[in-house]
Amino acid sequence: MSEQRDGTDPVRRLHVMAAGVRGARVAEHVVPAPFEEVWPVMAALDFLPDLARIRVLGVDGDRIEAVARSRYGFRAHLRGYRRPGWCWMQSRFLIVGLAAVPAPGTDGPATLVALTGGVRVPGRAAVLPFGTLRELHTATRRLEDRMRVRAARPGG
């Protein structure tokens, strides 16, 4: 799915949402795999390097609620929205934004992914910008590595 209900491409929407969050950065990357294979891996959220564990508590339509534990032991109760190609979740101390669309103008199937997020400043539309972009780029590489491993499996 490449457009949201309002006709906005999910990657563009992620840039708009991030622009409203002080300190937020967006990392984009083209993953050489079709959207239909990439999005389920992204939607599981477990490729994000700062999250040691994430457990979905419930899904109601496009609303999602999850509990995440960071690799440092911190816990976050996230609430937000998840649709094909789009996920935005936040807790009191964390923001996670993901978007994906089929990549235009590529040889073969590919997916443009975009990520944003970070440690939230409580009560404000702001994240601490320290190391955020580096972590987002690490996440895009982890996602691509996972897709490469899946493609290498027999029948994958």
Side-chain angles (χ1 to χ4, degrees):
M1 171 176 263
S2 62
E3 293 201 1
Q4 296 296 306
R5 294 176 188 158
D6 65 1
T8 305
D9 162 319
V11 171
R12 285 190 192 131
R13 175 178 279 195
L14 189 74
H15 280 277
V16 169
M17 294 289 287
V21 178
R22 179 181 232 152
R25 306 290 185 264
V26 176
E28 284 190 12
H29 186 72
V30 175
V31 176
F35 172 84
E36 296 77 21
E37 293 176 15
V38 173
W39 181 249
V41 175
M42 287 182 73
L45 303 168
D46 61 354
F47 71 98
L48 299 169
D50 276 347
L51 299 184
R53 186 176 46 213
I54 187 155
R55 183 169 52 99
V56 175
L57 300 176
V59 176
D60 182 14
D62 62 0
R63 293 178 184 259
I64 183 171
E65 184 175 354
V67 174
R69 185 164 304 276
S70 78
R71 64 182 180 187
Y72 307 109
F74 298 110
R75 187 172 166 263
H77 189 160
L78 297 151
R79 290 183 177 94
Y81 297 90
R82 182 175 66 182
R83 312 179 177 114
W86 172 257
C87 181
W88 184 273
M89 299 173 64
Q90 58 188 38
S91 74
R92 187 171 160 206
F93 297 107
L94 188 64
I95 294 175
V96 176
L98 315 171
V101 294
T106 57
D107 293 333
T111 304
L112 174 62
V113 301
L115 310 173
T116 192
V119 176
R120 185 174 176 191
V121 177
R124 303 183 73 195
V127 296
L128 300 175
F130 310 110
T132 303
L133 193 56
R134 182 184 69 247
E135 289 295 320
L136 295 170
H137 284 295
T138 298
T140 62
R141 287 190 301 275
R142 285 181 70 171
L143 176 62
E144 185 168 355
D145 289 346
R146 286 196 181 184
M147 297 311 301
R148 194 175 298 118
V149 167
R150 287 173 60 112
R153 287 186 196 148

